[in-house]
Amino acid sequence: MFTYIDPTVRERLESQGKLFQIDRDGARVAPDHAAARGPGIAVLGPIGLPLLLCGHEFEVDWYACVRRTELGKIEEIADELRAQHGQASFATLASSMAVNSVLMIGDPGKWQNPLIRVHSSCLTGDVFGSQRCECGPQLQTALRRIQEDDQGGMVIYMSGHEGRGIGLWAKAATYLLQDGGEDTYQANRSLGLPDDSRDFSDAGSLIRFFVEDRPFRLLTNNPKKVEDLEAMGLDQITRVKHVTGVTDSNRRYLTAKQDWGHELSPEDIA
Ligand SMILES: [Zn+2]
């Protein structure tokens, strides 16, 4: 974290407008404003990222986003560690903080109805290319679809959503239970964990900030994701079907999602 290196860097980034704060309603707040110490999101960016996807090159603006309450606690402990010269503990400290990302494609100033994907992190699918789920192809296809869209849009990558919110360790356990015959939701329940504990409120605040009160299109097959965002007052959402990466290895997983309420037709999964 930048604040671990040198707290003066923070002030420099703030003065450049590259570190800023938004509140839960997606409104920008001044750093010295009292609200800047309350609940909300600290945002770092834009940071240019040249992407290479399937042989196709394009540029996105990356924003790193973290809850202020989490960042605040981490910074307090970091200050203590710094005083005690506990440098080696910084990595452990930062690893517990969920830093979400916005990947911005195109010019938000020109958006009328941008295309948005709110993507839950999946190490095995997104990074390793696992076909037990279809997360990897969904992420890559979303970036391509947004890049090819007239208006562009953004991907919001939710880093704390591994295993629909149960974390990577528990997700690994659910894979073993699934190998014993349970489906993806039953396996969560067998561990005493909810079917889906993902919190989309940070995504809602970020959409509010970047899209403001314009309508937008959301790439998802999950009506619950739309409902969660609508419950935050984002009521101009058009759902856009996002089926990709169906293979023999994940057909059973997709059928469970379909039974759970995802809008997938038999042809989608065939
Ligand atoms: Zn996945």
Side-chain angles (χ1 to χ4, degrees):
M1 276 297 297
F2 56 93
T3 45
Y4 300 176
I5 303 161
D6 184 346
T8 61
V9 173
R10 180 195 186 111
E11 285 168 32
R12 194 167 74 228
L13 292 171
E14 278 175 346
S15 69
Q16 292 168 350
K18 294 198 170 150
L19 168 59
F20 55 94
Q21 324 275 327
I22 63 174
D23 66 18
R24 300 305 290 163
D25 295 324
R28 194 187 281 252
V29 286
D32 56 348
H33 192 272
R37 293 190 292 273
I41 299 173
V43 184
L44 261 177
I47 302 154
L49 285 188
L51 298 193
L52 176 61
L53 270 184
C54 310
H56 188 79
E57 288 183 73
F58 60 98
E59 181 91 17
V60 302
D61 280 330
W62 173 41
Y63 294 84
C65 316
V66 67
R67 278 195 186 175
R68 255 184 339 230
T69 42
E70 277 184 47
L71 183 61
K73 272 183 227 147
I74 296 284
E75 283 181 344
E76 253 173 56
I77 303 168
D79 281 343
E80 282 172 32
L81 285 175
R82 195 176 291 112
Q84 296 162 13
H85 304 288
Q87 304 291 337
S89 302
F90 284 160
T92 315
L93 189 62
S95 68
S96 67
M97 195 168 63
V99 180
N100 300 319
S101 287
V102 171
L103 296 174
M104 175 83 63
I105 301 169
D107 177 1
K110 293 180 183 159
W111 288 349
Q112 299 299 321
N113 190 2
L115 191 57
I116 295 177
R117 166 79 183 162
V118 178
H119 190 87
S120 294
S121 62
C122 175
L123 180 82
T124 49
D126 299 340
V127 179
F128 300 156
S130 160
Q131 296 183 73
R132 289 185 77 126
C133 55
E134 86 289 33
C135 302
Q138 277 196 318
L139 178 60
Q140 298 211 352
T141 306
L143 283 163
R144 281 298 300 275
R145 287 181 79 171
I146 296 168
Q147 197 265 331
E148 286 167 1
D149 191 81
D150 289 351
Q151 302 188 37
M154 60 185 183
V155 169
I156 303 180
Y157 190 85
M158 304 300 291
S159 66
H161 278 187
E162 193 67 62
R164 292 190 304 276
I166 62 174
L168 187 57
W169 183 250
K171 176 174 126 175
T174 66
Y175 275 5
L176 292 172
L177 294 177
Q178 286 174 54
D179 290 345
E182 299 188 13
D183 79 27
T184 178
Y185 298 103
Q186 286 166 338
N188 278 30
R189 281 175 233 145
S190 295
L191 294 174
L193 297 167
D195 285 7
D196 191 338
S197 44
R198 288 175 294 177
D199 174 359
F200 289 106
S201 61
D202 284 15
S205 300
L206 291 164
I207 292 171
R208 268 265 165 76
F209 176 71
F210 287 109
V211 182
E212 298 169 342
D213 53 4
R214 291 168 283 190
F216 63 93
R217 293 164 291 151
L218 189 69
L219 286 166
T220 184
N221 306 316
N222 182 2
K224 187 178 176 291
K225 201 184 278 185
V226 177
E227 285 165 23
D228 285 1
L229 292 172
E230 282 174 344
M232 295 184 64
L234 296 161
D235 53 4
Q236 300 184 82
I237 306 174
T238 306
R239 195 173 62 81
V240 177
K241 201 165 175 176
H242 193 50
V243 179
T244 178
V246 181
T247 68
D248 287 341
S249 307
N250 59 31
R251 197 162 283 118
R252 193 169 71 103
Y253 165 79
L254 288 167
T255 304
K257 276 180 144 184
Q258 183 187 31
D259 293 343
W260 196 80
H262 282 234
E263 299 213 355
L264 295 165
S265 66
E267 301 78 58
D268 291 334
I269 300 178

